[in-house]
Amino acid sequence: MAISRESSLREVAFAVCTALDRAGVTAVLTGGGAATLYAPEAIQSFDLDFVLEVYSDEKSPGKALEALGFRRERHDYRHRTSRFQLEFPAGPLAIGDERIERWNTLREGAEVLHVITTTDSCRDRLAAFFHFHDRSALDQACAVYAAAKTTVVLKRIRDWSRREGKIDAFQEFAARIRRER
């Protein structure tokens, strides 16, 4: 797929992940990009954060990204026309100290997108709320929950929140999603 100014976050994420996959690199979408994928009506991120899970020097993502029209600028990749930028935070894929070993793999035709689960997307957004007092991240966690409540495992989020020492902040999240039902 050719990436253009009109390409959506979903289209760019699928194109990037597919190109990397074909180059032998497994990249998992996380952060605000994953939240936007799950709740596009409520959230709009212009960063696509991919954590590389399978990668070696022989399988550099750079050439695959250049073939899509991205160029490296310091630590990020920017496209000549797209409004979305790519970031590759250091792995391993984790939320806090908890390693993420399972993610969703979405397919559209011949394209593939690896993305953290809806539960982990909520936890990822809540981590920003818990540790950086980012209220917009709380809004994003609530939006992901609202868009995907049948797949979000609240018990897992509650248990993780307890381990993080943030059960009071979790209670604020739980109260918000109860009110918004």
Side-chain angles (χ1 to χ4, degrees), residues 2-35:
I3 295 173
S4 70
R5 187 174 316 281
E6 291 76 33
S7 296
S8 69
L9 177 137
R10 183 180 188 90
E11 292 167 332
V12 172
F14 265 96
V16 167
C17 195
T18 299
L20 293 174
D21 192 66
R22 289 178 181 158
V25 176
T26 299
V28 181
L29 182 64
T30 187

Side-chain angles (χ1 to χ4, degrees), residues 10 44 48 52 54 79 95 123 137 175:
R10 183 180 188 90
Q44 184 57 66
L48 293 168
L52 303 180
V54 176
H79 193 271
I95 298 173
R123 291 190 318 146

Side-chain angles (χ1 to χ4, degrees), residues 19-177:
L20 293 174
D21 192 66
R22 289 178 181 158
V25 176
T26 299
V28 181
L29 182 64
T30 187
T36 297
L37 184 80
Y38 289 128
E41 303 301 318
I43 305 166
Q44 184 57 66
S45 176
F46 292 98
D47 302 349
L48 293 168
D49 296 331
F50 285 97
V51 174
L52 303 180
E53 279 296 296
V54 176
Y55 167 75
S56 71
D57 289 337
E58 296 84 42
K59 296 178 180 178
S60 171
K63 289 184 179 163
L65 298 174
E66 288 171 11
L68 291 175
F70 286 94
R71 70 181 184 289
R72 187 171 185 160
E73 289 185 7
R74 296 188 195 174
H75 302 292
D76 304 332
Y77 284 82
R78 297 193 182 269
H79 193 271
R80 62 183 170 268
T81 59
S82 175
R83 58 194 164 168
F84 299 103
Q85 77 177 31
L86 308 178
E87 297 177 12
F88 293 91
L93 185 59
I95 298 173
D97 291 332
E98 187 174 320
R99 178 94 161 82
I100 298 174
E101 297 184 7
R102 290 188 209 143
W103 50 82
N104 290 332
T105 298
L106 309 178
R107 297 190 185 278
E108 289 185 357
E111 292 190 314
V112 65
L113 175 60
H114 305 294
V115 57
I116 60 174
T117 66
T118 55
T119 300
D120 287 337
S121 185
C122 284
R123 291 190 318 146
D124 176 72
R125 300 295 73 208
L126 287 172
F129 171 58
F130 291 174
H131 302 295
F132 304 111
H133 310 289
D134 181 347
R135 301 221 45 99
S136 68
L138 173 61
D139 296 341
Q140 293 168 5
C142 292
V144 170
Y145 178 81
K149 60 183 133 212
T150 61
T151 61
V152 174
V153 181
L154 276 176
K155 181 184 182 326
R156 186 159 183 237
I157 298 171
R158 183 183 61 243
D159 293 348
W160 167 78
S161 300
R162 188 172 286 116
R163 289 190 303 276
E164 292 287 308
K166 300 294 183 176
I167 198 65
D168 291 342
F170 169 80
Q171 294 300 340
E172 183 176 348
F173 166 70
R176 283 255 322 254
I177 62 175

